[in-house]
Amino acid sequence: NAGVTQTPKFQVLKTGQSMTLQCAQDMNHNSMYWYRQDPGMGLRLIYYSASEGTTDKGEVPNGYNVSRLNKREFSLRLESAAPSQTSVYFCAIAGQANEKLFFGSGTQLSVL
Amino acid sequence: GQSLEQPSEVTAVEGAIVQINCTYQTSGFYGLSWYQQHDGGAPTFLSYNALDGLEETGRFSSFLSRSDSYGYLLLQELQMKDSASYFCAVRDRASNYQLIWGAGTKLIIKP
């Protein structure tokens, strides 16, 4: 997980609360991603940013917003958390070729 | 739409060889990746195949057949530390070249 720092590692929210997951990288890569992983499933892309100043929706964007604050930082916001958003969230980065993703250590989020 | 199939669980013996298969259906295939994930950890990149054939990296090899929409990950000389989940992921034009992930194969290694 070297180079990609995610905070927080754990979070418990009540339904309707908001929060922001932070991701920062020190590898100078252009592309940044937010994924969620539910038990027994593969990763699903929420949003991604191919470069500073751009963001695009992934497979499951509903209920989330993102900000690419600068080249280093990409945040994920839940405006009004729902129990269906209980999951493990991973931030990832990729360089020019985009073939190799580097992941942060993950955030375990529970929404009660 | 896109879909990937891989076995949910595979069991093997320490020191043996195991093959984890992945079949996919996509409309604009670009490449197949493999990732390893230990329990409680983050996925880590293992390999990427864009062209047919075998790619070898140490004890791990990955194979792709584009005509059969099929690939596999081969792990040799299994060690207990190889116990993990293994995910195949496809890069596809229909998903704007972003990765679509399989559900993962849990590899259980017995001594």
Side-chain angles (χ1 to χ4, degrees):
Chain A
N1 301 338
V4 184
T5 304
Q6 264 184 258
T7 55
K9 291 192 184 303
F10 302 94
Q11 184 71 49
V12 179
L13 294 177
K14 294 181 179 177
T15 298
Q17 286 186 316
S18 62
M19 78 159 296
T20 300
L21 282 68
Q22 307 285 356
C23 178
Q25 56 133 337
D26 61 6
M27 297 177 73
N28 202 36
H29 283 347
N30 285 325
S31 301
M32 300 187 74
Y33 307 83
W34 277 105
Y35 286 94
R36 62 177 288 174
Q37 185 176 31
D38 299 302
M41 297 180 69
L43 280 76
R44 290 185 293 169
L45 183 63
I46 305 171
Y47 271 93
Y48 66 100
S49 170
S51 62
E52 184 179 353
T54 68
T55 61
D56 285 287
K57 294 179 180 179
E59 188 183 352
V60 289
N62 291 345
Y64 305 95
N65 286 302
V66 290
S67 295
R68 181 75 182 263
L69 304 169
N70 47 56
K71 189 169 185 179
R72 289 189 62 248
E73 298 171 289
F74 189 39
S75 63
L76 178 72
R77 183 158 179 85
L78 288 71
E79 290 291 352
S80 179
S84 61
Q85 294 178 305
T86 293
S87 189
V88 179
Y89 291 84
F90 287 102
C91 175
I93 65 174
Q96 198 77 10
N98 270 4
E99 302 315 341
K100 180 175 180 178
L101 268 62
F102 298 89
F103 285 83
S105 57
T107 297
Q108 184 142 6
L109 175 67
S110 294
V111 183
L112 306 177
Chain B
Q2 309 105 321
S3 67
L4 289 90
E5 288 190 19
Q6 52 181 131
S8 59
E9 189 175 291
V10 171
T11 301
V13 177
E14 190 176 15
I17 299 172
V18 72
Q19 178 173 312
I20 299 173
N21 298 321
C22 176
T23 57
Y24 58 86
Q25 282 189 314
T26 64
S27 55
F29 178 84
Y30 198 72
L32 178 69
S33 300
W34 289 93
Y35 285 77
Q36 178 192 61
Q37 185 179 31
H38 288 99
D39 284 348
T44 57
F45 175 84
L46 292 176
S47 67
Y48 174 74
N49 296 68
L51 303 176
D52 287 356
L54 190 69
E55 297 275 346
E56 297 181 63
T57 308
R59 293 188 297 114
F60 292 5
S61 303
S62 58
F63 172 82
L64 175 66
S65 169
R66 294 174 66 119
S67 60
D68 295 324
S69 297
Y70 163 75
Y72 66 72
L73 181 69
L74 189 74
L75 295 80
Q76 303 182 72
E77 302 173 17
L78 284 172
Q79 301 175 10
M80 297 305 292
K81 67 178 182 179
D82 298 329
S83 295
S85 292
Y86 292 84
F87 293 86
C88 60
V90 166
R91 192 172 296 280
D92 179 72
R93 186 174 60 240
S95 62
N96 203 21
Y97 300 103
Q98 302 308 314
L99 288 176
I100 303 296
W101 296 72
T105 298
K106 187 173 181 66
L107 175 60
I108 298 169
I109 299 174
K110 297 185 174 180

